[in-house]
Amino acid sequence: MNAIVLSAIWGVVMMFTSVFSRNNKVVRGIAVTGLAVLLITNILEMNGINFFKVDVKGMMVFDNFGLLFNAIAFASTLVFFLLSGRDIEKVGMHVADYCALIFFVLCGVAIASSFNTLLMLFLGIEIISIPLYILTGADKRNLKSNEASLKYFLMGCFSTGLMLMGITLIYGVKGSFNMDVIGMGNGELTPMLAAGLLLLLFSMAFKVSAAPFHFWTPDVYDGAPTVFTSFMATVVKAAGFIAFIRLFKNSLGSMQSEWQLMVAIITAATLFIGNITAVFQQSVKRMLAYSSIAQAGFMMFAIVALNETAFEGLIFYAAAYSLATIGIFAILIKMKDYTFEGFNGLAKHQPVLAATNTIFLLSLAGIPATAGFWAKFYMLAAAVRAGHVLWLVILGVLCAAISVYYYFRVIQAMYFKDGDAQEMDATPAFKGVLIGIAAVVVLLGIFPEWLIDKLYYFF
Amino acid sequence: MPVLLIVIPLLSGLIAFLVKQEKSVKSWALLSSIVSLVISVMALTTKNDSWLHYNLPWLPELGSSFNVGLDGMGKVLCLLTGISFPVIFIATWNNSYRKPNNFFALMLLSQAGLMGVFVAMDALLFYFFWELALIPVYFLCSQWGGERRIPVTFKFFIYTFVGSLLMLVAIIFLYFQTPDKSFSIDSFYAVAQMSPGTQAWLFVLLFLAFAIKMPIFPFHTWQPDTYEQSPTAVTMVLSAVMVKMGVFGILRWLVPVLPTASFQFGDNPATLCVVGMLYASFVAMQQDDLKRLFAYSSIAHMGLMGLAIFVPSNMGMQGVMIQMFNHGINILGLWIVVELIERQMGTRKMSELGGLAQKAPVLGILLVVLALANVALPLTNAFIGEFLMFAGVFTSLASKYHYIFAVVGAISIILSAVYTFNMIQKVFFGNTNSLTAGARDIRLNEKLVLSALVVMIIAIGVYPKPLLEITQGAVDTLISKMMIKNP
């Protein structure tokens, strides 16, 4: 509850800071403070200290799972601000507004991670989506940004409509929005329930850009200002997955045998399309867009499996993937040329950027001793434990091997090819933060249980 | 002690990144590798058994621990790793590299990974080191290799990465079958009998990973290219130590864990091995490039080890153990010779060389001994190993086709004599040409390492008993796990 209330308040505060201060440094300072406050209060709430005693009538449940994810999301956003905060200023004049929108997104994230009725799910998803439509189009004079924004908006509205329809149908069958009520029963699937379930599944698949509902992703990620792509591809996508798994675990889990195969097929398609298409990209930014689809395919394993290992794994995946991707994007933003050739020879004059970027890429590829390895490990383990879907596991590891191809192309460009990569103002502080994240990625890669234990007992 | 074997190269490797001066980083790497060698020798001779095992909780929730230990097989392979690195550093002392600090740091890191693979007693830890040994080698080859290095190493990396991911799936699956949900090797050995179908595909997954690494025909295509394009120091690591990871993996993680499947399907990999031996030998005969010649010859030798494992017998296993060590020593010597020739003449093409024995008599003598060992002539170390393996295959009761395997496999030994002596003739005898007329004999440090290797070859060839005794225990447990009576 702390996070929801505070992030909403802080968003409003951010909106008004631009009235009082035109100094971007101040705005950024307030935003970073806000994120720190959110993170701390969220951790306090994990330990049972709640500032706002609101009777939510069972519409929300603040369990470890959601709170831990909140902490990860806030920490990732904080890192994002520390790394790329200065680049937000380059997008346009309304820095304070962008920050405010990001806080509203975070409010939606906090709702989506703790909803217990379908209504709150809908609210959370919408609160996340609407600010994103605006952020995507933040670069007002850029045609691509405008196109991306409109495309995102139209497709997003459509999927929201599907979700509402699904919720309505399920309400028609079960007579309640409450997930516990929906989860009751013997798992029998009436036609109307099946239709509702399908519509919900499709709309959620759209939000997390799973194939074949992924077509908006590359265009939107490519068109949006790169700073905001970084945010959308990490925190927001992870939040979508948390909502996804919450929905399926708490309400539709009893019907798992009915939808498991369908979700497995969606997973397979996502993995396949994401990885194969990423191979053919020439721009690193677009490659990362497809790689985010591919990574989404791996996160879908959690929904296929839906067991303890999957919950632990999804939390871990969210952290590992967000940290690494935010890092890569932060470096990408500093580059003059977004193609693979633009990275040629970066290791020569920016060894720190190249080395940290390598660690992030290795993590995304799932090489041991990085956090990404455990993320993939838990996903595979969850699927193996669930049984029935070993074909999916084999497909998954083959796709992981394909992913090595495009991640390593960046490493090859940086280290083994000659060229003069152009980058802009990489300050010592920026490098310091990068090294810090890389250290966290490696430490989590060696001791993953530091994070996963937090699901069960706190500090 | 096993912990020291990992930690010393790991830490000294990390420190080496910071030492910018070429001379000092070389000395530092050499020093570190010699310390590792001393420790691996001590591990071999120590009587105190508690030094050889170490267990630290690592991931308690998951049932994985930092469990390392040395048995006979591990000791021998650690010794091989321990010997290889100082030899490599001394033999390539006169080479200079761009960014020497990175080069030597990565070399030491790969040593840490290799040591880790050989001492890991926990499946997850094994997987960890298995990959960690690969990453530095990837960077080494891509940065300091030959012209076509980038695509070639990339192929190598993706090839082996596919294999290891498949292995990871198998490890996870086995983990859920263990009685106490643990990754430790004892739990893996205690996995209850699974249905034949399950065993079959687990066998395929694990076998693929190890077969790619060894490499067994038809998964070998990465190997000649990679050996050719890598800097020779890295080729030495790859062929002397790293391919042994494949054999080691089969012996520790495949055959004892899935004994029934190994027994049932053993004929299939054995056939692949035999085909590979013949194929590689024939291809080796056609090669003009020395590096490619030895690369294919290496495939043939590894094929024989695979054959002896999958057509098991006590004698054959004993042969595999000792031959892993011998092959490492021999191939190390051959690569050093290749390196010396290339550095002096600027070519590795046999057709452009000739008459080197007149100009470099010491090198000639040493090479002939190495070549004899490559052909497995009596009194060389390889004779012991290959004889045991062939005798084991021939008398094995595990396969119906053991006679055919042994006889066809033996043809490859004859072929190996053909290409090895052909190579000697072309490179060392005959008349000198304009290129080789100015050749000098080898330097002191090179003489030193080569003669040390030659001494080892002959010593083991004459008196193999100590080495055989070390591995006897490992062979016995292995055979008893496979539930096959001694022939």
Side-chain angles (χ1 to χ4, degrees), chain A residues 104-402:
Chain A
F104 291 137
V105 172
L106 288 180
C107 180
V109 167
I111 296 176
S113 70
S114 53
F115 68 91
N116 201 37
T117 68
L118 296 179
L119 279 181
M120 290 314 278
L121 165 72
F122 179 74
L123 262 182
I125 295 285
E126 280 307 280
I127 294 177
I128 292 175
S129 299
I130 292 168
L132 284 181
Y133 302 146
I134 307 169
L135 286 178
T136 308
D139 195 357
K140 278 193 288 195
R141 287 183 190 79
N142 186 338
L143 206 60
K144 267 177 96 182
S145 176
N146 285 322
E147 183 202 325
S149 178
L150 190 64
K151 195 178 247 175
Y152 193 15
F153 177 63
L154 290 176
M155 301 284 267
C157 287
F158 185 65
S159 85
T160 307
L162 286 186
M163 178 184 283
L164 265 185
M165 188 68 197
I167 292 175
T168 320
L169 288 176
I170 290 178
Y171 181 78
V173 178
K174 297 283 186 178
S176 170
F177 290 123
N178 193 302
M179 302 231 290
D180 302 329
V181 177
I182 297 169
M184 277 189 276
N186 52 7
E188 191 193 354
L189 208 60
T190 60
M192 203 152 98
L193 191 59
L197 192 154
L198 271 186
L199 290 175
L200 266 184
L201 173 64
F202 291 164
S203 63
M204 288 313 290
F206 176 91
K207 294 294 178 197
V208 298
S209 67
F213 311 100
H214 66 284
F215 289 100
W216 61 275
T217 318
D219 290 342
V220 170
Y221 283 9
D222 199 22
T226 313
V227 242
F228 298 135
T229 311
S230 169
F231 184 66
M232 280 158 64
T234 53
V235 176
V236 174
K237 176 166 277 195
F241 268 105
I242 296 298
F244 203 161
I245 202 169
R246 240 186 128 77
L247 172 68
F248 274 68
K249 174 179 70 165
N250 293 354
S251 64
L252 307 172
S254 55
M255 301 159 224
Q256 190 184 14
S257 57
E258 306 283 346
W259 51 257
Q260 192 182 32
L261 182 64
M262 201 169 345
V263 176
I265 290 169
I266 290 180
T267 310
T270 313
L271 278 171
F272 192 73
I273 291 173
N275 281 299
I276 297 288
T277 327
V279 166
F280 298 106
Q281 301 308 316
Q282 293 310 317
S283 142
V284 175
K285 190 176 174 186
R286 232 179 142 75
M287 180 277 277
L288 283 172
Y290 280 104
S291 121
S292 88
I293 298 176
Q295 302 281 348
F298 259 102
M299 289 191 244
M300 290 287 290
F301 270 81
I303 292 155
V304 178
L306 216 64
N307 50 30
E308 283 303 312
T309 319
F311 306 142
E312 296 170 359
L314 191 62
I315 286 280
F316 197 83
Y317 212 114
Y321 167 72
S322 299
L323 282 180
T325 310
I326 286 175
I328 295 174
F329 266 111
I331 293 168
L332 180 70
I333 295 166
K334 303 284 182 201
M335 305 299 293
K336 283 237 169 65
D337 184 358
Y338 281 1
T339 59
F340 282 98
E341 284 76 35
F343 280 86
N344 280 358
L346 183 69
K348 287 234 172 56
H349 52 277
Q350 288 290 0
V352 175
L353 293 195
T356 48
N357 204 8
T358 304
I359 291 178
F360 300 144
L361 287 163
L362 291 179
S363 178
L364 284 187
I367 306 285
T370 60
F373 166 70
W374 293 106
K376 287 213 166 69
F377 173 86
Y378 273 93
M379 288 301 158
L380 295 177
V384 170
R385 187 174 165 188
H388 306 306
V389 284
L390 281 167
W391 59 273
L392 187 62
V393 177
I394 303 283
L395 182 83
V397 295
L398 292 180
C399 285
I402 295 173

Side-chain angles (χ1 to χ4, degrees), chain B residues 89-157:
Chain B
F89 289 141
I90 296 174
T92 58
W93 189 261
N94 306 62
N95 292 12
S96 67
Y97 302 97
R98 282 183 300 122
K99 297 203 200 133
N101 54 334
N102 292 357
F103 183 86
F104 287 99
L106 288 170
M107 286 290 273
L108 289 172
L109 289 184
S110 75
Q111 188 189 11
L114 287 164
M115 290 287 195
V117 168
F118 296 140
V119 299
M121 290 289 173
D122 182 285
L124 213 50
L125 199 65
F126 172 75
Y127 183 81
F128 230 70
F129 285 120
W130 177 274
E131 290 289 319
L132 286 192
L134 181 63
I135 301 287
V137 170
Y138 169 75
F139 279 94
L140 282 167
C141 297
S142 299
Q143 184 110 47
W144 288 276
E147 244 165 74
R148 292 189 300 119
R149 61 184 191 276
I150 295 179
V152 164
T153 6
F154 204 27
K155 177 178 170 189
F156 160 62
F157 186 82

Side-chain angles (χ1 to χ4, degrees), chain B residues 247 251 305 308-309 316-325 389:
Chain B
V247 187
L251 286 177
M305 290 182 214
I309 294 171
M317 285 293 176
Q318 190 61 270
V320 174
M321 299 278 174
I322 189 169
Q323 186 62 9
M324 279 201 277
F325 183 78
M389 286 195 279

Side-chain angles (χ1 to χ4, degrees), chain B residues 349-364:
Chain B
K349 297 251 179 295
M350 290 198 283
S351 49
E352 294 174 15
L353 297 164
L356 268 182
Q358 299 168 20
K359 297 286 170 190
V362 180
L363 179 63

Side-chain angles (χ1 to χ4, degrees), chain A residues 83-105:
Chain A
L83 281 176
S84 308
R86 288 157 59 97
D87 298 291
I88 296 180
E89 294 162 17
K90 292 181 188 142
V91 174
M93 295 159 58
H94 314 286
V95 182
D97 297 354
Y98 305 147
C99 295
L101 288 170
I102 287 177
F103 275 97
F104 291 137
V105 172

